[in-house]
């Protein structure tokens, strides 16, 4: 697997004094790739909103179901996964290449600890390809340019934006990033997205205080949005059933349904 950086600079040193989302998310999912500061902030946030661990696990389970569905039922063989986070069990490339070994996957993140783990863990089948780009979601043009070394954007791609646009605080910019990335995709491509929500029927109002604590004590800062606001990321696309719902309920398998979580999820197709 190769690794690229858009500006050619050296990878920044890992900051172990401030909690970081990728590591805290790993902690909530039961992983070990985190530091004491991540556990401390993670435990405090979990004390404020106990469902946060369920959100982390539901988001990961949504990824698994979506990738499997797109690879098995829609024949998608290319995945652009932005906001990768730390490698875990059942990463995008493992699911996709198990179904279709020729699948090509590009991961994107800008956390140095994610980069260091990506070098060691994100491998590929001989038939396919797996790449990692050290880049920021705020620069979609750089992502698309470098991802084009591995992916063929004249063919369908699954664009994965799981729990990433919530770190773009400006509503207009977040919407613009989503639309710019989708615009580069060929017909038959898909947008796969999750985002924390403020919707009270999903318990979204209960996480606002926890988010305020996070923004004062960890990085990067985060925001939640309403269902109507998140729906704008899918402008011009066709939402697949069951639409934009709690990610725990998106095509959950019989007998595995879990409770609702304040994290919206959907998959939509570009005509």
């Amino acid at each position: 697997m190769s690794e690229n950086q858009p500006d050619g600079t050296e990878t920044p040193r890992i900051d172990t004094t401030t909690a970081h989302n990728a590591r805290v998310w790993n902690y909530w999912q039961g992983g070990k790739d985190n530091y004491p500061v991540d556990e401390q902030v993670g435990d405090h946030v979990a004390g404020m909103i106990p469902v946060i661990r369920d959100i982390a696990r539901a988001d990961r389970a949504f990824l698994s179901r979506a990738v499997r569905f797109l690879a098995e039922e829609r024949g998608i063989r290319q995945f652009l996964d932005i906001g990768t986070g730390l490698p875990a069990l059942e990463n995008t490339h493992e699911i996709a290449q198990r179904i279709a070994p020729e699948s090509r996957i590009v991961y994107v993140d800008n956390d140095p600890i994610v980069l260091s783990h990506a070098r060691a863990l994100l491998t590929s089948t001989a038939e396919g390809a797996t790449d990692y780009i050290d880049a920021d979601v705020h620069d979609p043009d750089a992502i698309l340019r470098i991802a084009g070394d591995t992916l063929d954007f004249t063919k369908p791609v699954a664009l994965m934006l799981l729990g990433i646009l919530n770190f773009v605080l400006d509503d207009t910019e977040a919407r613009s990033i989503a639309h710019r990335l989708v615009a580069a995709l060929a017909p038959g491509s898909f947008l796969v997205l999750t985002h924390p929500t403020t919707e009270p029927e999903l318990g979204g109002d209960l996480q606002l205080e926890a988010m305020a604590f996070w923004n004062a004590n960890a990085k990067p800062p985060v925001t939640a949005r309403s269902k109507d606001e998140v729906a704008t990321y899918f402008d011009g696309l066709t939402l697949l059933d069951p639409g934009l719902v709690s990610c725990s309920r998106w095509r959950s398998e019989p007998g595995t349904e879990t409770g609702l979580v304040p994290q919206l999820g959907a998959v939509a197709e570009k005509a």
Side-chain angles (χ1 to χ4, degrees), residues 108-127:
V108 183
D109 211 303
N110 68 336
D111 182 355
I113 195 171
V114 176
L115 174 59
S116 67
H117 281 264
R119 287 192 182 111
L121 298 180
L122 299 181
T123 56
S124 175
T125 60
E127 302 94 327

Side-chain angles (χ1 to χ4, degrees), residues 57-116:
R57 293 174 184 134
D59 191 88
R60 195 72 191 183
F62 168 87
L63 178 148
S64 294
R65 295 194 303 274
V67 172
R68 190 166 63 249
F69 166 77
L70 292 175
E72 286 183 342
E73 299 190 28
R74 295 303 180 96
I76 295 298
R77 299 294 181 261
Q78 301 189 107
F79 295 82
L80 177 56
D81 189 338
I82 302 177
T84 304
L86 285 164
L89 293 174
E90 292 294 274
N91 296 288
T92 298
H93 74 285
E94 293 168 317
I95 302 166
Q97 291 184 341
R98 186 164 58 243
I99 295 165
E102 71 273 21
S103 296
R104 306 177 73 82
I105 295 89
V106 171
Y107 291 102
V108 183
D109 211 303
N110 68 336
D111 182 355
I113 195 171
V114 176
L115 174 59
S116 67

